[in-house]
Amino acid sequence: MANSLQDQLMGAGLIDSKKAKKISKENRKQKKVQKKSKDNSLSEAQLAAQKVQQEKLKRDQELNQQRNAEAEKKSIAAQISQLVNHYKLDRKKGDTDYNFSDNAVIKKILVSSEIANEIARGRLCVVRIGETYEVIPKPIADKIRERDSEAIVVHNQKPDTGSAITADTNSNDPSNSGTEQSDEDYYAQFEIPDDLVW
C-alpha cells in the first residue's frame, strides 16, 4: 500500500507527530472553507429560481389576506343577518307608509303608526339586509353599527334636552338631578290654557 505523504515525511524523520496533526487540522479547515465558498457562490439560475420562489410566496400571502378579508366580511354579514332575523319587528299589521332616504333614494316601508312613532323618537331603527328593510330595536342597531355602519339606514338620535331642562329649573331641587325625562314629561310642564281659541 502506498503511504500518504505525511506518513512518508514522518518515516524520514522530517516532521514529528505534533506537526503532522497541525498540518492535517489545517487541511480540514481549508476544505471546509472551500466547501462553504462553493455553497455561497450560487449560479445565476439558482438566484433567479430563488427570486421566483419569493415572488410566489408574496403572491400567496396576498391571496391569503384577501381570502381572510372576504371570509371575515361574510362572517360579519352572517352575524348581522342573524341579529336582524332574530330581533326584527313584525310589520304585517302595518297600515302607515314610512318614507326614508337610502343613499339619496327615497324608500318606503309599511309599518304601524306606533312603530313609525318609535322610529321617529329613535327607539327603533331601520336596517338594510340585501334589498329588504327591517325595523329593529335601537340596542340591536348599535350592535350592528359596530360591525357595519352602512347597514343602518335610519337611526334617529334623540336631541339632548336634558341641559335645557336643568338650566331652567332650580339647581337645588333633588328631583331634577340632570336625568333625562321622556318627551311627555318635558311637555307636561307647559300647560295649555283652557280659554285658548283655535
Side-chain angles (χ1 to χ4, degrees):
M1 272 203 192
N3 291 337
S4 68
L5 179 63
Q6 187 176 3
D7 292 337
Q8 291 174 4
L9 291 174
M10 279 179 49
L14 297 174
I15 60 170
D16 60 353
S17 63
K18 286 184 181 179
K19 196 164 191 170
K21 287 181 183 179
K22 184 178 178 184
I23 291 172
S24 65
K25 188 175 181 181
E26 287 177 7
N27 286 340
R28 281 192 299 250
K29 283 184 183 180
Q30 191 175 18
K31 286 181 183 179
K32 281 185 181 180
V33 169
Q34 286 176 354
K35 188 176 181 182
K36 284 184 182 181
S37 65
K38 284 182 182 178
D39 291 343
N40 289 339
S41 61
L42 299 174
S43 67
E44 290 180 18
Q46 290 172 330
L47 289 174
Q50 281 183 348
K51 186 176 180 182
V52 168
Q53 187 177 9
Q54 289 173 352
E55 289 174 359
K56 183 180 183 294
L57 182 65
K58 186 177 178 182
R59 277 194 312 261
D60 290 345
Q61 288 174 344
E62 289 174 1
L63 286 173
N64 283 340
Q65 288 175 350
Q66 288 176 354
R67 286 183 193 134
N68 290 343
E70 289 175 10
E72 186 169 338
K73 190 175 182 180
K74 286 180 181 179
S75 171
I76 288 172
Q79 290 174 6
I80 290 172
S81 178
Q82 185 179 12
L83 283 170
V84 170
N85 289 332
H86 189 266
Y87 291 103
K88 69 182 179 182
L89 299 180
D90 184 23
R91 297 185 295 128
K92 292 180 182 175
K93 297 179 183 178
D95 56 355
T96 305
D97 287 339
Y98 183 79
N99 297 317
F100 57 93
S101 173
D102 183 16
N103 293 328
V105 177
I106 302 297
K107 298 289 184 172
K108 173 174 61 171
I109 57 174
L110 197 60
V111 295
S112 67
S113 58
E114 295 169 359
I115 291 176
N117 288 336
E118 294 297 313
I119 293 172
R121 289 184 177 171
R123 294 180 184 158
L124 296 177
C125 300
V126 178
V127 65
R128 177 183 55 242
I129 296 293
E131 298 296 320
T132 62
Y133 298 93
E134 297 294 339
V135 179
I136 58 172
K138 183 186 178 299
I140 305 306
D142 292 337
K143 289 181 182 180
I144 291 173
R145 179 173 282 175
E146 292 172 2
R147 290 167 174 81
D148 182 13
S149 62
E150 294 180 7
I152 304 297
V153 180
V154 178
H155 187 261
N156 295 327
Q157 299 291 331
K158 193 171 185 180
D160 186 19
T161 57
S163 60
I165 293 171
T166 56
D168 292 339
T169 58
N170 186 2
S171 60
N172 293 332
D173 188 5
S175 64
N176 293 326
S177 61
T179 59
E180 280 193 33
Q181 297 175 340
S182 68
D183 292 340
E184 291 84 18
D185 292 340
Y186 175 72
Y187 290 112
Q189 67 182 349
F190 303 107
E191 294 184 28
I192 300 174
D194 293 335
D195 60 345
L196 183 66
V197 177
W198 293 97

